[in-house]
Amino acid sequence: MKPKIGVLALQGDFEAHRAPLERAGAEVTEVRSAAELEEVDGLVIPGGESTTMLKLLEDEQLLEPLCRFGGAKPIFGTCAGAILLAAEVLNPRQPSLSLMDLTLERNGYGRQIDSRIAHIQISGRPAEAVFIRAPVIRRVGADARVLAEYNNSPVLVEQGKHLAATFHPELSPENRVHEQFVDKVRASLSEQLN
Ligand code: GLN
């Protein structure tokens, strides 16, 4: 069965997630309302500007539905999306969905090195990671598992059904991270059937 994955499309680089998700075998749809959220088996929160995204989520009254969704179904947050998933956000402090036990510092790599393409290892295999004004993961809770690091800090973390990346896997040809998320959505679907 093809899992149906939504991409939150209020702001940011949501369009870039369609191709890698489709390549990983998902049906993809854009989500802008609580009704559209109800139709999907998993959700991607893309990169962009987390403060703006937060404000748009409030305006659309989507914060509460998103928290409920995350209690039951997988969410994959990239960059600003990862900031929204975290339990604690620094620089400056701002509210978040608190679905993953992480502390993230916004723009944590500093201003001079705003963006870069780095080489990392994901589960022991080399991969490219595109960082754009990326947050740094300062703390990882006991229930979270680090899947990749860069400069001695985690950049890809999973906790239960959720996945967070501080880089942008949708901007690299490599499809492993999206495949990993689609696998999580498939697993959560078969759990719901049992
Ligand atoms: N710096 C942005 C923020 O704090 C995130 C950047 C990104 O998503 N590429 O929201």
Side-chain angles (χ1 to χ4, degrees), residues 26-54:
E27 184 190 330
V28 181
T29 178
E30 291 179 0
V31 168
R32 294 186 177 82
S33 67
E36 286 168 342
L37 188 59
E38 275 183 27
E39 297 300 309
V40 299
D41 306 314
L43 183 77
V44 173
I45 306 183
E49 179 54 48
S50 58
T51 313
T52 310
M53 229 184 272
L54 204 57

Side-chain angles (χ1 to χ4, degrees), residues 7-189:
V7 184
L8 185 69
L10 297 177
Q11 195 262 340
D13 85 326
F14 53 87
E15 277 167 355
H17 285 276
R18 176 179 290 277
L21 287 169
E22 285 178 349
R23 264 184 281 140
E27 184 190 330
V28 181
T29 178
E30 291 179 0
V31 168
R32 294 186 177 82
S33 67
E36 286 168 342
L37 188 59
E38 275 183 27
E39 297 300 309
V40 299
D41 306 314
L43 183 77
V44 173
I45 306 183
E49 179 54 48
S50 58
T51 313
T52 310
M53 229 184 272
L54 204 57
K55 191 186 172 304
L56 294 170
L57 286 170
E58 272 166 20
D59 292 351
E60 300 299 319
Q61 294 181 320
L62 262 170
L63 277 176
E64 175 68 39
L66 213 49
C67 276
R68 245 182 294 125
F69 182 91
K73 293 177 182 176
I75 300 184
F76 172 29
T78 57
C79 206
I83 295 171
L84 290 183
L85 284 178
E88 187 182 34
V89 179
L90 308 173
N91 189 34
R93 283 191 180 274
Q94 72 182 17
S96 48
L97 298 168
S98 206
L99 289 166
M100 292 179 77
D101 189 15
L102 306 172
T103 300
L104 262 68
E105 179 187 341
R106 295 178 63 200
N107 302 307
Y109 291 101
R111 290 262 160 215
Q112 301 93 316
I113 33 177
D114 254 4
S115 305
R116 86 189 76 170
I117 298 178
H119 297 282
I120 61 168
Q121 302 252 327
I122 301 176
S123 314
R125 281 197 289 149
E128 174 187 281
V130 179
F131 291 96
I132 305 169
R133 288 183 296 285
V136 173
I137 299 178
R138 295 290 181 206
R139 186 191 58 87
V140 174
D143 293 339
R145 201 161 72 95
V146 176
L147 303 176
E149 291 188 337
Y150 172 64
N151 260 357
N152 298 319
S153 53
V155 293
L156 180 66
V157 177
E158 68 174 352
Q159 183 180 333
K161 44 190 174 308
H162 306 311
L163 187 65
T166 59
F167 57 99
H168 290 264
E170 75 283 8
L171 300 181
S172 296
E174 160 72 59
N175 216 34
R176 235 184 302 160
V177 183
H178 284 83
E179 279 163 17
Q180 218 160 0
F181 182 61
V182 174
D183 284 349
K184 280 185 173 302
V185 177
R186 285 209 173 92
S188 127
L189 275 173

